[in-house]
Amino acid sequence: MKSDVLQNYLRRTGYPVFHPRTILFDMDGVLIDSMPNHVVAWRESMASFGIQMTAMDSYMTEGARGVDTIRKMVEKQQGKVITLDEAQEMYNEKSRLFHLMTPAPLMPGILELMEKLTADGLTIGIVTGSGQRPLIDRIRNTFRQYVTDDHLVTAYDVTKGKPDPAPYLMGMQKCGAQPWETIVVENAPLGVQAGNAAKAFTIAVNTGILPDEALADAGADIILKSIAQLSDQWRELYKLLSINTFE
């Protein structure tokens, strides 16, 4: 772990200190290894509407609200602007196909990591652009021991999705935290941009097909290869980020 990551963060944000008290997790590709299923569901559902969506498109737009992604893809490929209701109908088909698949497994190391975070007294929140209620309910049930319902942000809580900072600012508000007290864990460029824009300390876990450069260019403060690596290195990172504390 590089010793200058904290100073780089403080220079980026202009804050004099950082005191980690809250950690906000994205869902897909961070808590659950669900992106391969999403890639298939996006490709097949959008093809039925005449839209081509590649695996790279899925990873690059991951984290945004599904209806926003669809409206942008339709405008780009078909040259027309559709309504939110029309986009929602298309998104419903994507959700239907996704939930026909075998449920994706949890990311290796995530439960161990949450156990460590809880032991260190951090408040844990989840911030997802998903509007798929069965998936959100699964998250609620799986992580009930570590995350309360009032610390969950979904597509239904915000009008602007990632890369806008609004979802992470809402997560901070729900958890009673300030940016200089918050760590964001993301796997996608749009999510990293959102965490960066919210002035949180932003960790990227590259669990997909993107090059590290895509996450670095989005503004990640640290890039790791997996949640398991973050769990293994948590104590070292927590100690490093706790150098500056409030008096």
Side-chain angles (χ1 to χ4, degrees):
M1 194 73 64
K2 293 182 179 179
S3 60
D4 60 350
V5 293
L6 177 58
Q7 292 305 316
N8 289 340
Y9 164 80
L10 296 176
R11 281 194 293 269
R12 172 172 71 81
T13 60
Y15 294 136
V17 293
F18 183 73
H19 186 187
R21 291 178 172 173
T22 295
I23 187 162
L24 302 176
F25 288 95
D26 177 42
M27 179 173 66
D28 293 304
V30 174
L31 302 180
I32 303 177
D33 192 10
S34 49
M35 283 307 295
N37 285 3
H38 280 295
V39 167
V40 174
W42 273 119
R43 183 179 67 240
E44 295 184 359
S45 64
M46 292 303 102
S48 68
F49 296 100
I51 298 295
Q52 181 184 23
M53 192 156 182
T54 66
M56 188 61 73
D57 290 330
S58 295
Y59 277 91
M60 289 299 293
T61 60
E62 194 266 307
R65 297 193 311 168
V67 290
D68 294 334
T69 295
I70 289 170
R71 295 183 80 192
K72 289 177 181 178
M73 296 295 288
V74 170
E75 184 173 8
K76 179 180 179 180
Q77 294 188 25
Q78 297 183 345
K80 61 182 180 181
V81 177
I82 61 173
T83 66
L84 281 174
D85 286 341
E86 290 171 320
Q88 185 64 54
E89 290 183 10
M90 297 170 69
Y91 185 67
N92 289 344
E93 174 62 9
K94 185 263 178 178
S95 299
R96 185 185 73 82
L97 293 180
F98 179 84
H99 290 292
L100 291 176
M101 301 177 188
T102 301
L106 296 181
M107 275 293 180
I110 188 59
L111 293 177
E112 293 83 354
L113 175 58
M114 287 199 174
E115 188 68 30
K116 293 176 182 177
L117 298 171
T118 301
D120 286 334
L122 273 75
T123 299
I124 303 173
I126 298 172
V127 178
T128 175
S130 178
Q132 299 185 44
R133 294 191 186 278
L135 191 55
I136 294 168
D137 288 340
R138 180 190 175 190
I139 287 295
R140 282 195 173 103
N141 293 329
T142 301
F143 299 103
R144 186 178 302 277
Q145 180 179 352
Y146 307 105
V147 185
T148 57
D149 285 353
D150 58 335
H151 292 162
L152 176 64
V153 178
T154 73
Y156 302 107
D157 293 303
V158 294
T159 57
K160 292 183 178 181
K162 303 170 188 178
D164 193 274
Y168 280 114
L169 292 175
M170 176 64 73
M172 294 176 198
Q173 179 180 330
K174 286 193 172 190
C175 291
Q178 297 295 331
W180 58 85
E181 300 172 320
T182 304
I183 299 170
V184 161
V185 183
E186 270 285 352
N187 70 306
L190 294 185
V192 171
Q193 289 178 43
N196 187 289
K199 292 191 173 183
F201 185 91
T202 304
I203 300 172
V205 286
N206 195 353
T207 59
I209 64 174
L210 300 177
D212 282 354
E213 289 76 10
L215 299 168
D217 291 345
D221 292 297
I222 293 178
I223 301 175
L224 301 175
K225 64 181 180 180
S226 66
I227 286 292
Q229 184 183 15
L230 176 56
S231 181
D232 290 342
Q233 297 186 9
W234 168 249
R235 298 297 184 193
E236 178 186 355
L237 177 61
Y238 185 51
K239 181 178 180 181
L240 183 64
L241 295 180
S242 299
I243 291 173
N244 289 308
T245 58
F246 293 119
E247 296 297 336

